[in-house]
Amino acid sequence: MVKIGNIELGEFPLLLAPMEDVSDPPFRAVCKDNGADLMYTEFISSEGLIRDAIKSRKKLDIFDYERPIGIQIFGGDEESLSLAAQIVEATNPDLLDINFGCPVKKVACKGAGAGILKDIPKMVKLTAAVVKATKLPVTIKTRLGWDEETKNIEDVAERLQDVGIKALTIHGRTRTQMYKGNADWTLIGKVKNNPRIQIPIFGNGDICTPEQAVAARAKYGVDGIMIGRAAIGYPWIFNEIKHFMKTGEHLPLPTVLERVEVCKKHLRQSVAWKGEVVGILEMRRHYTNYLKGLPHIKDYRQQLVTCNTLAEIEDVLDKVVLQYNDHIFERSAPAYDFLPSSNEMTGCNVYG
């Protein structure tokens, strides 16, 4: 049984990655329905929380059906992170995660996210301050290092454990790689198999198929896997991995009707949480992935991203079901070698 503090997550938990502009409550709802064991909010600026910024506060919204749920924060200032941790604790999540892995310039160049990988003593100091500021279990998501010359994650993992974190998720790339190239799980495995490490170690990066998940578990011994891009428009990935691990067989691929019904739920949840205008606008990024694999779908997809009412969009989706009801989806060739080739990676659309 994998545990973070007192939170029991099962034998081999599958985590939904915190993805900016993706991992909101509507998206989390359909992932939870389809087997995600632990989910995280989009990352939230510690400075934004302290300033009471509306966008930051909105991201604190969590619901009981999502549990266990973690709220993720980022920042490069000890006082701000500590105060943000206290604000987060008041919303009663199950755990608090610190983002030390976001590679985008506007975050990293301010010494937050993956930017902290240039200053490991400060990273440890910030983490210790957050652990001290909250009673919640504190976890970390980070990368292998800043660049190829500073892959120091083994030392970092020990030092973060020593100041009190309860779990560590490692994305198998450096900051300079951004999301390019293949994730390197070798160092993730070394961290997990370090006899000094007693906390759960979760691997992240390039897991797009059940075969890859099984290979990652067998080869690197991680306690669980965090999944990002493979879940976008395809939340079934969680249950597919679980079924394959138990049986060695694939679940049937979701039908057109099943895909559309889940897409509709996602859409309705988006409208309910954000209002019709914003909910419809921000849902547009998901249609391509939900309808991936359908031939000649461009015209319908264009309609979906230009409709402005819930009724209009649902009408288009109903037409998709009528036209493609007999379509048989084909499963991509499994990637038995854990590190996927560039061709195999084309199915993983946005995030690592």
Side-chain angles (χ1 to χ4, degrees), residues 113-173:
I116 200 67
L117 292 169
K118 284 186 171 182
D119 189 345
I120 301 306
K122 184 178 180 181
M123 181 185 192
V124 175
K125 186 177 180 181
L126 292 176
T127 302
V130 172
V131 170
K132 184 178 179 180
T134 180
K135 296 178 182 178
L136 293 169
V138 175
T139 63
I140 298 289
K141 183 170 189 276
T142 190
R143 290 180 170 237
L144 301 178
W146 176 261
D147 55 25
E148 287 298 313
E149 284 67 50
T150 58
K151 289 185 176 180
N152 47 14
I153 188 61
E154 292 180 80
D155 175 61
V156 168
E158 291 185 7
R159 296 174 70 178
L160 294 176
Q161 177 181 260
D162 289 345
V163 297
I165 71 167
K166 300 303 182 183
L168 176 65
T169 299
I170 306 168
H171 180 88
R173 290 181 174 88

Side-chain angles (χ1 to χ4, degrees), residues 179-201:
Y179 294 102
K180 298 177 181 178
N182 292 325
D184 177 5
W185 280 64
T186 305
L187 285 177
I188 301 176
K190 287 184 178 180
V191 172
K192 171 56 194 172
N193 293 292
N194 179 343
R196 273 210 62 206
I197 296 296
Q198 302 300 313
I199 58 174
I201 301 297

Side-chain angles (χ1 to χ4, degrees), residues 71-126:
I71 290 177
Q72 188 186 74
I73 59 175
F74 74 95
D77 177 77
E78 184 177 337
E79 183 179 1
S80 296
L81 276 173
S82 298
L83 289 172
Q86 294 170 18
I87 295 170
V88 166
E89 184 175 314
T91 67
N92 195 33
D94 297 286
L95 58 87
L96 184 154
D97 189 77
I98 309 173
N99 183 314
F100 286 144
C102 178
V104 299
K105 183 179 293 187
K106 67 178 181 179
V107 174
C109 289
K110 294 180 179 180
I116 200 67
L117 292 169
K118 284 186 171 182
D119 189 345
I120 301 306
K122 184 178 180 181
M123 181 185 192
V124 175
K125 186 177 180 181
L126 292 176

Side-chain angles (χ1 to χ4, degrees), residues 2-22:
V2 176
K3 297 176 68 176
I4 298 177
N6 293 322
I7 306 166
E8 295 185 352
L9 297 174
E11 184 180 347
F12 189 77
L14 302 178
L15 287 59
L16 174 65
M19 295 177 282
E20 178 69 356
D21 294 328
V22 176

